[in-house]
Amino acid sequence: MTFPYPPTRTVEVFEDVAGVRVPDPYRWLEQETHEVRRWQRRQAELATAVIHDGQDPGAVRDLIRAYDSGSRPALPRFAAGRWFRAVTPPDGVAPMVVVADQPFGDGRPVIDLAEFGSEESPAFLSWLAPAPDGRVLAVGVCVDGSEHNTVRLVEVASGRVLDGAPTQVLHSAWAGGVSWLPDSSGFYFFALTGSPQEFRQEVFLHRLGTSPGDTTVEPIPVGEGSREYTLVQISPDGRWAVASHRVGSPIPVAVRDLSEPGTAWRPFVTDCPGTIAGHIVGDRYIAVTDVAAPRGRVVAIPLDAANPNDPAGWTELVPEGDTVLRSLCPVGEHLYLGEFDQTFARVRIIDRAGAVTGEVPLPGRGALAAPFFALTALAVGAPADDFVFAFSTLTSSWGVYRHRPGETQLETLSAPTVTLDAELEAGWAVAPDGVAVPYHVVRPSCGDPTRAAPTLISAYGAANVPLLPQYQPDMAAFVAAGGVLVQAYLRGGGEFGRDWYQAAHRERRHVRDADLVAVAEHLIAKGLTTADRLALTGGSDGGLMCGVAVTTRPDLWRAVLPREPLLDLIGGIRDPYLDFVIRKAWADPDDPAEVRRLLRLSPYQLVSPGVFPAVYIQAGATDPRCRPWHARKFAARMQAAQEGEEPILLHVFDNAGHGAATPHDVAVAQDTEWLAFLIRTLGLRGCLSRPGPT
């Protein structure tokens, strides 16, 4: 079948990277010109027409909305005995923030974010942080889906927007928004020093009641030229400040004694390739670390240590065990220790000496809600006396619960709304090097396990980020439509500790791709599916995984669906943000041998004429991380190279970014088209069903 793709010209452009000459025939698609936007719009129109041909888009959208009702809620933030949370009215396009005496009490509105946006550019709440005294609320507002947000200050009693908020733009919410001083007089925040494209950031200090021009750069010694994220943590008593540095594997890089005016920041743990992620407890930094413990242990480091880089001076509170220790959350005099037990959540309670005093009775085998990166999880705000958390499983949606130290039962604050009529099973495939790669299968109860089923693999395997056994509305809708979901835990992710992550890091990145192929071939050999009924999806770095899979093993797939993808590693070097990511996680682009290795892993450069499966690439027009030109260039090259009958489709959505700040209606439209493509390609027509009661 021939598809009417928009005409796409090529150019004679070559990029010289460390002496390696790389052709780039679609370089012109990196620009945001009228020609490119017109081409992009025609691609989107074609994708929508092909995908929805013969389908009822309304029925698919209704299915997405039904399962979206179980989406992960935003957890409330505690301050001065009250709870602040975001609420989106059923007919509203922007959320409002309410304050209540209980985490999910009715409360009263503080601010409606609609006043910060417009009908064309609705405001998105990136984060919220009430001052410790509860009098002022700081919120991060994004209006274009990009994640770039600015600080707004609201008087809680009146709802009045205060003058004098800092004007710097925050690149994202990855550094937690703002870190309030315990006396509520001001806050630290991490923001851009120039344009977002330059990707230069610093920690700033802002005092309430001053003008934006009085906001000052905080001279934290993080190392010259570092582009890593930094989050300031402050002890509840106001004495200590710690600067945690690095978004994926944070370390407490600097410390400051605030009790002595004029005392400068001094280096703390600066020489550490691993993770030290924790909180200030008294005069110690108590943290989960993978130093000398790949699965993690809990240690205490004196904040006045003479040589904090030497682990011999650390006190071990909880030794390494069979589970993977991941996070700590201070609750009163206790610390709640988050762990992974074969990917499933476990939470133990320890005292400040490391003694285990109890375990949280979780509602099932699933996952706690957690930020994407470990650094963001350190932004806990004012300490509460209760442990409030969100929890879900692969087959039941998110609920919110409260646990009080010493109690044996949970309190349900917000019950799950969706239960998937499906069965869960576990399995593993053997990678080429003999390592077992685990996966979970979510199969509709009405399916026949003896017959090959339309199957979707979802995977990530990068950046020490764990893929958790949690509820995902789009995946749930796919299962409800009759598909089988396989969630694969590939090396490079954070599910099984530091060794699992490092096994597919930098020069070993190809291991992730081999793990994926091993899972796909295992599922086919087992008879769960066949190559003509198997699809693959992944986002961001997982989108790159999809690009490698479709160009190197097109025979394995019926459909491949990259979302918000990174697809051109060579072109990414010209983008300051991606240059930072590539140097950190992939290779040194100043080394010719490393550049040649990048070429063997970069999907855009891997495209050559051949027969490819159906491809649907989805991207956001305002994505600040994987800019839409990655998707445009890859789609153009794939369309030109396709010698088979299947479509290569591209849809770049307006007012959408990398996902974290995309407006809800745009996200629903994205999920609807994504699911409709799977229904069309895998033959799921007529299987649509609605969620049953929980």
Side-chain angles (χ1 to χ4, degrees):
M1 181 178 181
T2 301
F3 296 92
Y5 299 122
T8 308
R9 60 186 175 88
T10 58
V11 292
E12 289 290 325
V13 172
F14 294 84
E15 182 78 8
D16 186 288
V17 187
V20 179
R21 195 166 186 253
V22 183
D24 191 356
Y26 297 99
R27 172 76 68 86
W28 66 278
L29 285 170
E30 292 186 11
Q31 306 303 312
E32 295 296 335
T33 63
H34 290 300
E35 179 188 15
V36 170
R37 285 191 286 271
R38 182 169 58 252
W39 180 91
Q40 178 175 285
R41 186 167 54 251
R42 291 182 63 185
Q43 289 280 359
E45 291 168 350
L46 174 64
T48 300
V50 170
I51 290 170
H52 290 308
D53 182 31
Q55 291 198 71
D56 178 2
V60 182
R61 185 166 50 251
D62 287 347
L63 186 67
I64 287 293
R65 285 176 171 161
Y67 285 89
D68 187 65
S69 66
S71 293
R72 188 167 94 184
L75 288 176
R77 299 295 294 266
F78 178 80
R82 296 183 295 175
W83 297 85
F84 296 77
R85 76 181 192 278
V87 176
T88 301
D91 57 349
V93 295
M96 63 175 61
V97 178
V98 302
V99 59
D101 293 334
Q102 294 296 323
F104 283 85
D106 291 337
R108 65 171 179 82
V110 175
I111 187 70
D112 186 341
L113 265 73
E115 66 178 82
F116 297 128
S118 65
E119 187 174 344
E120 297 77 21
S121 301
F124 185 92
L125 180 65
S126 294
W127 51 267
L128 65 85
D133 64 9
R135 298 187 182 203
V136 175
L137 173 69
V139 295
V141 178
C142 173
V143 294
D144 64 357
S146 68
E147 297 181 50
H148 300 148
N149 64 91
T150 53
V151 179
R152 309 298 175 91
L153 301 174
V154 182
E155 185 178 63
V156 173
S158 66
R160 179 172 61 93
V161 178
L162 301 175
D163 295 330
T167 58
Q168 287 83 358
V169 174
L170 282 63
H171 190 260
S172 68
W174 285 2
V178 305
S179 300
W180 282 95
L181 297 169
D183 64 1
S184 301
S185 64
F187 49 79
Y188 294 99
F189 66 103
F190 191 61
L192 295 162
T193 59
S195 71
Q197 290 71 30
E198 294 169 337
F199 191 61
R200 296 286 182 184
Q201 302 181 94
E202 295 276 7
V203 173
F204 292 86
L205 175 62
H206 179 80
R207 297 280 184 178
L208 294 186
T210 61
S211 68
D214 293 332
T215 300
T216 57
V217 173
E218 192 70 7
I220 298 174
V222 297
E224 186 176 356
S226 175
R227 292 194 174 188
E228 273 283 9
Y229 287 74
T230 303
L231 166 68
V232 174
Q233 301 173 272
I234 306 172
S235 61
D237 62 7
R239 178 182 177 184
W240 296 103
V242 166
S244 285
H245 189 59
R246 300 195 317 221
V247 66
S249 300
I251 58 172
V253 72
V255 64
R256 184 179 182 187
D257 187 345
L258 301 177
S259 67
E260 300 182 17
T263 301
W265 289 92
R266 60 180 173 82
F268 195 49
V269 181
T270 58
D271 183 19
C272 177
T275 295
I276 306 171
H279 299 275
I280 304 168
V281 180
D283 293 326
R284 302 186 298 174
Y285 194 75
I286 298 182
V288 170
T289 183
D290 54 17
V291 174
R295 291 185 299 279
R297 60 189 178 124
V298 179
V299 300
I301 309 173
L303 291 169
D304 58 358
N307 186 11
N309 282 302
D310 183 4
W314 306 352
T315 300
E316 183 174 270
L317 303 183
V318 179
E320 183 181 33
D322 294 333
T323 61
V324 175
L325 307 190
R326 186 67 184 183
S327 63
L328 280 173
C329 181
V331 178
E333 297 297 312
H334 298 80
L335 292 164
Y336 280 59
L337 177 59
E339 310 171 43
F340 299 151
D341 182 1
Q342 298 299 307
T343 75
F344 294 110
R346 180 189 185 192
V347 182
R348 287 185 289 170
I349 308 166
I350 63 174
D351 63 20
R352 296 187 176 194
V356 176
T357 62
E359 184 167 340
V360 177
L362 297 177
R365 287 175 61 79
L368 268 67
F372 196 70
F373 285 114
L375 181 73
T376 317
L378 304 182
V380 297
D385 293 329
D386 307 329
F387 180 54
V388 175
F389 64 97
F391 180 89
S392 74
T393 74
L394 282 165
T395 58
S396 61
S397 66
W398 292 95
V400 181
Y401 307 88
R402 172 160 56 187
H403 184 264
R404 293 183 171 92
E407 295 192 355
T408 59
Q409 300 295 322
L410 290 179
E411 178 186 356
T412 300
L413 301 176
S414 177
T417 59
V418 175
T419 295
L420 200 58
D421 187 14
E423 300 168 355
L424 178 66
E425 61 186 68
W428 49 270
V430 179
D433 59 2
V435 171
V437 180
Y439 61 82
H440 284 126
V441 178
V442 184
R443 187 195 306 273
S445 297
C446 60
D448 183 353
T450 66
R451 299 182 60 185
T455 301
L456 173 67
I457 296 178
S458 174
Y460 186 70
N464 198 24
V465 173
L467 187 63
L468 301 177
Q470 64 187 15
Y471 181 84
Q472 300 172 81
D474 51 355
M475 303 299 171
F478 169 76
V479 174
V484 172
L485 171 66
V486 174
Q487 184 157 291
Y489 305 102
L490 312 180
R491 280 176 285 182
E495 301 89 352
F496 296 97
R498 182 170 179 80
D499 288 350
W500 192 258
Y501 155 52
Q502 290 289 331
H505 186 60
R506 288 189 68 81
E507 68 273 8
R508 297 177 292 276
R509 289 302 297 259
H510 63 280
V511 170
R512 189 255 308 260
D513 303 312
D515 283 0
L516 173 66
V517 169
V519 171
E521 291 182 333
H522 168 77
L523 296 175
I524 293 170
K526 187 181 177 181
L528 189 149
T529 191
T530 57
D532 63 354
R533 307 203 82 186
L534 180 60
L536 171 67
T537 195
S540 192
D541 201 321
L544 186 143
M545 172 198 70
C546 290
V548 172
V550 74
T551 52
T552 60
R553 287 299 306 272
D555 57 302
L556 270 180
W557 319 103
R558 178 70 178 86
V560 177
L561 298 87
R563 307 182 81 174
E564 301 88 37
L566 167 63
L567 292 165
D568 180 2
L569 291 172
I570 301 301
I573 297 166
R574 297 190 301 274
D575 179 324
Y577 172 77
L578 284 180
D579 178 68
F580 153 69
V581 172
I582 290 167
R583 289 177 185 274
K584 172 183 174 180
W586 288 86
D588 178 3
D590 300 322
D591 182 333
E594 294 281 88
V595 172
R596 283 188 281 272
R597 181 168 63 81
L598 282 179
L599 284 170
R600 296 193 295 271
L601 299 169
S602 182
Y604 174 63
Q605 281 77 28
L606 288 172
V607 177
S608 61
V611 176
F612 297 103
V615 176
Y616 172 58
I617 310 162
Q618 198 173 83
T622 59
D623 192 333
R625 306 189 184 283
C626 301
R627 299 185 188 278
W629 57 258
H630 286 269
R632 292 194 293 248
K633 291 171 64 177
F634 184 72
R637 208 165 196 172
M638 286 286 289
Q639 288 172 352
Q642 174 66 294
E643 295 177 345
E645 299 294 318
E646 298 297 334
I648 310 294
L649 302 176
L650 166 69
H651 194 153
V652 178
F653 283 78
D654 293 332
N655 201 25
H658 206 59
T662 299
H664 181 258
D665 60 334
V666 179
V668 168
Q670 290 177 312
D671 288 349
T672 297
E673 200 163 276
W674 173 89
L675 179 58
F677 180 80
L678 285 166
I679 292 171
R680 172 193 186 275
T681 309
L682 298 182
L684 300 180
R685 299 177 192 270
C687 299
L688 300 185
S689 62
R690 298 290 184 91
T694 57

